């Protein structure tokens, strides 16, 4: 099946620094990638949808200047958390959808971000 | 109101017992997906249902989609500690702009 990887799997950073998370589709071309955020014991919350070569669409309440998304190629999307603060600590999961006419999403393993 | 209602919110069952988790959509669905997750780990795809009345099984887990394609149930038979985790349903349909998740059901299986 389709495989999506994420890097890093976990990261600890100081408050005020920026962190970049990569999401790659390994064996298919992802026309659309999604970024989710999850707090402990809660469901996934969609942050933004990105299509290759165009600007990401952010969900209401998500600061686009804080969470920068770049979908530069059909196999790579990056999420940069700028000027991270402790409240940004969370589990970030990406997913990719690349199969024409089929809306199943393939999920990455997630990245755990801890901001000190 | 929530577009996708999942119930119960949490569930504790004794090992060996059966259990059911429900997912109800306020809109007709193209597809209903079931995932399992342990916090801090990625989602594991369990099953996808697309046709009204469809039923799929994998090992001890069975998922059904009703004829109206608005309600799905996930049934686990003879639960084991390995079944513990968060179960999420995801919905795709004409009323959903993207895959939408329920709030999840946290399952604990006691020995």
């Amino acid at each position: 099946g389709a495989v999506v990887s994420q890097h890093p799997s976990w990261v600890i950073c100081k408050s005020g620094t920026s962190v970049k998370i990569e999401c790659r589709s390994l064996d298919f071309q992802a026309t659309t990638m999604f970024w989710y955020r999850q707090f402990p014991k809660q469901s996934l919350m969609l942050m933004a949808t990105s299509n290759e070569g165009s600007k990401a669409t952010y969900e209401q309440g998500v600061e686009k200047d804080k969470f920068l998304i770049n979908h530069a190629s059909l196999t790579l999307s990056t999420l940069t958390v700028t000027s991270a603060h402790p409240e940004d600590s969370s589990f970030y999961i990406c997913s990719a959808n690349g199969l024409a006419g089929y809306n199943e999403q393939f999920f990455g393993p997630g990245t755990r971000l801890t901001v000190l | 109101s929530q577009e996708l209602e999942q119930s119960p919110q949490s569930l504790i069952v004794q090992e060996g017992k059966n259990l059911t988790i429900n997912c109800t959509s306020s809109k007709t669905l193209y597809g209903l997906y079931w995932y399992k997750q342990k916090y801090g780990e990625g989602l594991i795809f369990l099953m996808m249902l697309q046709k009204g009345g469809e039923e799929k099984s994998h090992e001890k887990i069975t998922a059904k989609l009703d004829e109206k394609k608005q309600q799905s149930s996930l049934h686990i038979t003879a639960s084991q500690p390995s079944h513990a985790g968060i179960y999420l349903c995801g919905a795709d349909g004409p009323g959903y702009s993207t895959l939408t998740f329920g709030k999840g059901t946290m399952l604990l299986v006691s020995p």
Side-chain angles (χ1 to χ4, degrees):
Chain A
V3 179
V4 175
S5 70
Q6 264 182 259
H7 178 79
S9 55
W10 59 270
V11 56
I12 301 173
C13 68
K14 291 183 179 180
S15 185
T17 61
S18 294
V19 175
K20 181 185 283 188
I21 302 170
E22 293 185 349
C23 178
R24 293 181 186 273
S25 56
L26 298 184
D27 50 4
F28 68 102
Q29 292 185 327
T31 53
T32 307
M33 285 186 168
F34 305 85
W35 286 96
Y36 297 87
R37 182 175 182 177
Q38 186 185 30
F39 293 106
K41 299 183 181 180
Q42 293 186 27
S43 186
L44 299 178
M45 226 177 52
L46 180 64
M47 298 175 66
T49 302
S50 73
N51 292 291
E52 184 264 340
S54 61
K55 288 185 180 180
T57 302
Y58 290 82
E59 295 300 300
Q60 194 171 9
V62 178
E63 299 175 60
K64 58 183 178 182
D65 293 331
K66 181 166 185 63
F67 298 100
L68 301 178
I69 292 172
N70 187 342
H71 194 159
S73 76
L74 285 171
T75 58
L76 173 64
S77 176
T78 60
L79 169 69
T80 302
V81 183
T82 62
S83 187
H85 291 285
E87 57 265 31
D88 297 324
S89 298
S90 188
F91 192 57
Y92 293 87
I93 302 178
C94 73
S95 70
N97 177 357
L99 302 177
Y102 205 59
N103 200 28
E104 181 181 354
Q105 294 182 25
F106 301 95
F107 290 85
T111 297
R112 187 180 305 178
L113 169 64
T114 302
V115 184
L116 302 176
Chain B
S1 63
Q2 184 77 14
E3 290 180 325
L4 201 61
E5 296 275 354
Q6 202 173 326
S7 64
Q9 190 174 2
S10 62
L11 192 55
I12 302 174
V13 299
Q14 196 172 15
E15 184 176 355
K17 297 293 185 183
N18 303 336
L19 64 107
T20 300
I21 299 169
N22 294 301
C23 182
T24 302
S25 169
S26 58
K27 308 164 189 175
T28 302
L29 303 168
Y30 288 147
L32 191 288
Y33 305 81
W34 284 101
Y35 296 91
K36 179 187 173 185
Q37 187 198 23
K38 294 186 177 181
Y39 179 70
E41 300 180 14
L43 292 177
I44 300 170
F45 171 73
L46 295 176
M47 272 169 278
M48 181 192 69
L49 304 166
Q50 286 186 301
K51 299 176 184 175
E54 187 175 10
E55 179 176 320
K56 288 186 178 178
S57 292
H58 176 67
E59 297 180 345
K60 293 185 178 179
I61 301 176
T62 300
K64 301 178 185 178
L65 182 63
D66 74 334
E67 290 290 344
K68 291 185 178 179
K69 296 171 66 174
Q70 284 188 265
Q71 187 166 10
S72 179
S73 61
L74 185 81
H75 185 77
I76 299 178
T77 304
S79 59
Q80 299 171 350
S82 60
H83 288 127
I86 300 172
Y87 288 82
L88 288 161
C89 64
D92 174 28
Y96 295 97
S97 57
T98 185
L99 189 62
T100 301
F101 291 96
K103 290 191 174 182
T105 296
M106 182 177 297
L107 171 65
L108 297 175
V109 180
S110 62

